Amino acid sequence: GAVVSQHPSRVICKSGTSVKIECRSLDFQATTMFWYRQFPKQSLMLMATSNEGSKATYEQGVEKDKFLINHASLTLSTLTVTSAHPEDSSFYICSARDDSLNTEAFFGQGTRLTVV
Amino acid sequence: AQSVAQPEDQVNVAEGNPLTVKCTYSVSGNPYLFWYVQYPNRGLQFLLKYITGDNLVKGSYGFEAEFNKSQTSFHLKKPSALVSDSALYFCAVRTGGTASKLTFGTGTRLQVTL
């Protein structure tokens, strides 16, 4: 299957700082990318959907000014958690899909964010 | 609105026995159905999908799933479980179209014991 690389896999940051998470599709063009948040022992919660070159569409209840998403190219999307607080600590997962193939989405390996 | 139900939080099975992880869905239009597996502190790995065609879909690692339109189900099965199959399994649904989003079930933890 196609490969999606997410970096970093783990990050610890201090309250008030910002953290950037990268998601790259390595061998296909990701026309659509998705960012999820997963709480312990729970399912994935979709945060936002982004298409290359356009603004992300955020799900209800997700603060767009706090979770900045950029999808500048067909292979890269970034999620920046701004002014992080301990309650932002979570497992963040990206996925990417090539809509020209109308196929499944492929997922990155996830990023464990801990805000102290 | 589309939804997915995975009625079992956990399924326990002995190695070598067949396993079934249940999934039912609700969607307007033709469903695109997926199974993913997640190992601890990892992202999701794609197992198999149903979009159209044969109702019995075969996927990775010996898993298969059967699309049943009348029962709106897409149960995941494997004839002989392995201890290494122990993980968290997610069923997901979406409709066709570039704007469609995946909706996930709550996940089922599969525990395979010797």
Side-chain angles (χ1 to χ4, degrees):
Chain A
V3 179
V4 174
S5 175
Q6 187 174 339
H7 179 81
S9 57
R10 291 178 181 271
V11 58
I12 300 173
C13 71
K14 292 184 177 179
S15 287
T17 62
S18 296
V19 173
K20 180 184 285 189
I21 303 170
E22 290 189 351
C23 181
R24 293 180 184 273
S25 58
L26 298 186
D27 50 4
F28 67 102
Q29 293 187 329
T31 50
T32 305
M33 283 190 169
F34 305 88
W35 286 94
Y36 296 86
R37 184 172 177 176
Q38 186 179 30
F39 293 98
K41 299 186 179 182
Q42 293 191 27
S43 188
L44 282 72
M45 181 192 81
L46 180 65
M47 299 173 67
T49 303
S50 72
N51 297 103
E52 184 260 341
S54 60
K55 289 184 179 180
T57 301
Y58 289 81
E59 296 299 300
Q60 192 172 9
V62 179
E63 298 176 62
K64 62 181 180 181
D65 294 330
K66 181 166 187 62
F67 298 100
L68 300 179
I69 291 171
N70 184 280
H71 191 167
S73 76
L74 282 172
T75 59
L76 174 64
S77 176
T78 60
L79 166 67
T80 301
V81 183
T82 63
S83 187
H85 291 285
E87 57 265 31
D88 298 325
S89 299
S90 192
F91 194 59
Y92 293 87
I93 306 175
C94 72
S95 76
R97 190 174 75 199
D98 183 345
D99 293 310
S100 68
L101 300 177
N102 197 24
T103 183
E104 64 271 23
F106 296 94
F107 286 77
Q109 57 266 57
T111 298
R112 172 73 59 193
L113 170 63
T114 303
V115 185
V116 298
Chain B
Q2 57 194 37
S3 65
V4 175
Q6 292 182 245
E8 304 152 316
D9 289 338
Q10 181 156 327
V11 169
N12 299 307
V13 65
E15 188 174 56
N17 284 358
L19 69 88
T20 299
V21 183
K22 296 180 180 177
C23 170
T24 58
Y25 66 90
S26 174
V27 68
S28 298
N30 294 322
Y32 290 24
L33 292 155
F34 305 85
W35 276 101
Y36 289 88
V37 60
Q38 184 181 33
Y39 295 95
N41 293 309
R42 303 288 292 176
L44 275 65
Q45 294 180 29
F46 169 75
L47 277 181
L48 52 80
K49 66 182 176 187
Y50 171 84
I51 294 179
T52 187
D54 196 348
N55 289 346
L56 182 63
V57 178
K58 293 187 183 297
S60 306
Y61 312 120
F63 284 94
E64 60 187 32
E66 186 164 12
F67 170 63
N68 187 317
K69 188 173 183 177
S70 63
Q71 297 185 6
T72 61
S73 67
F74 191 56
H75 301 329
L76 181 70
K77 299 184 179 186
K78 187 173 182 180
S80 178
L82 298 172
V83 172
S84 57
D85 293 330
S86 299
L88 188 57
Y89 290 80
F90 288 100
C91 181
V93 68
R94 72 175 177 95
T95 56
T98 57
S100 65
K101 298 178 287 190
L102 272 178
T103 297
F104 286 89
T106 49
T108 298
R109 184 161 301 281
L110 174 65
Q111 188 69 44
V112 182
T113 54
L114 289 170

